[in-house]
Amino acid sequence: GAPVQVDISKLETGQLILVKWRGKPVWVVKRSQEVLDNLGKHDDKLRDPGSDEGQQPDYAKNPTRSIKPEIFLAVGICTHLGCSPTYLKGDFAQQVEGINYGFFCPCHGSTYDMAGRVFQNVPAPLNLVVPNHYYVDETTILVG
Ligand code: FES
């Protein structure tokens, strides 16, 4: 499949845009500083906090799983049985002990944080996949 170009010049903090790449949904999310600050705080509740088994390119193998800290890309497919998780926009965060939930899979209840890292005690075995991508310029990403 051909790479897909994404214009993030109008992406607002908290917003998620969906693009299709090779027939798969790819999310591009702009995270707030607060969300980034909270990312490290719940590692003990994650299955694979370092994303050692998670799939991401080398340049996204860091605590934010991204090239630019605020911009997160993930394939929007649950690693359990392939449903499409719902973006929680941090709404869950206030409800459950200040934990920064990012995505919730309605099929069997798997939860992921705002770096697509899966929580413990849910059916999904792996963190969400981060697709190959790079920045053509400040506000243009090429996925694929
Ligand atoms: Fe997402 Fe089962 S497919 S929890």
Side-chain angles (χ1 to χ4, degrees):
V4 170
Q5 193 163 306
V6 189
D7 175 7
I8 59 163
S9 61
K10 295 192 174 65
L11 188 63
E12 291 174 18
T13 301
Q15 193 184 354
L16 178 151
I17 50 177
L18 173 71
V19 296
K20 284 269 181 192
W21 171 65
R22 292 188 181 172
K24 293 177 183 167
V26 170
W27 299 327
V28 183
V29 189
K30 188 165 184 179
R31 298 175 291 199
S32 67
Q33 189 57 50
E34 189 186 356
V35 162
L36 293 172
D37 291 346
N38 282 327
L39 270 185
K41 295 184 182 167
H42 51 246
D43 281 10
D44 59 331
K45 298 189 170 58
L46 301 172
R47 182 164 286 167
D48 178 18
S51 286
D52 298 318
E53 291 170 43
Q55 225 182 301
Q56 62 272 302
D58 285 348
Y59 45 79
K61 197 161 175 46
N62 54 45
T64 60
R65 301 187 77 208
S66 61
I67 298 173
K68 294 187 185 187
E70 69 274 24
I71 305 293
F72 177 59
L73 278 78
V75 176
I77 296 176
C78 182
T79 62
H80 182 219
L81 294 174
C83 289
S84 189
T86 304
Y87 177 38
L88 296 170
K89 255 187 163 176
D91 291 352
F92 233 71
Q94 281 111 40
Q95 295 167 15
V96 191
E97 295 172 8
I99 289 176
N100 204 3
Y101 287 90
F103 307 93
F104 172 76
C105 184
C107 289
H108 316 95
S110 289
T111 44
Y112 302 86
D113 78 353
M114 284 295 287
R117 299 178 301 169
V118 70
F119 283 88
Q120 294 166 5
N121 306 316
V122 299
L126 294 167
N127 296 342
L128 296 176
V129 172
V130 176
N132 289 331
H133 62 284
Y134 71 93
Y135 285 82
V136 180
D137 59 39
E138 269 304 295
T139 57
T140 311
I141 302 172
L142 211 59
V143 181

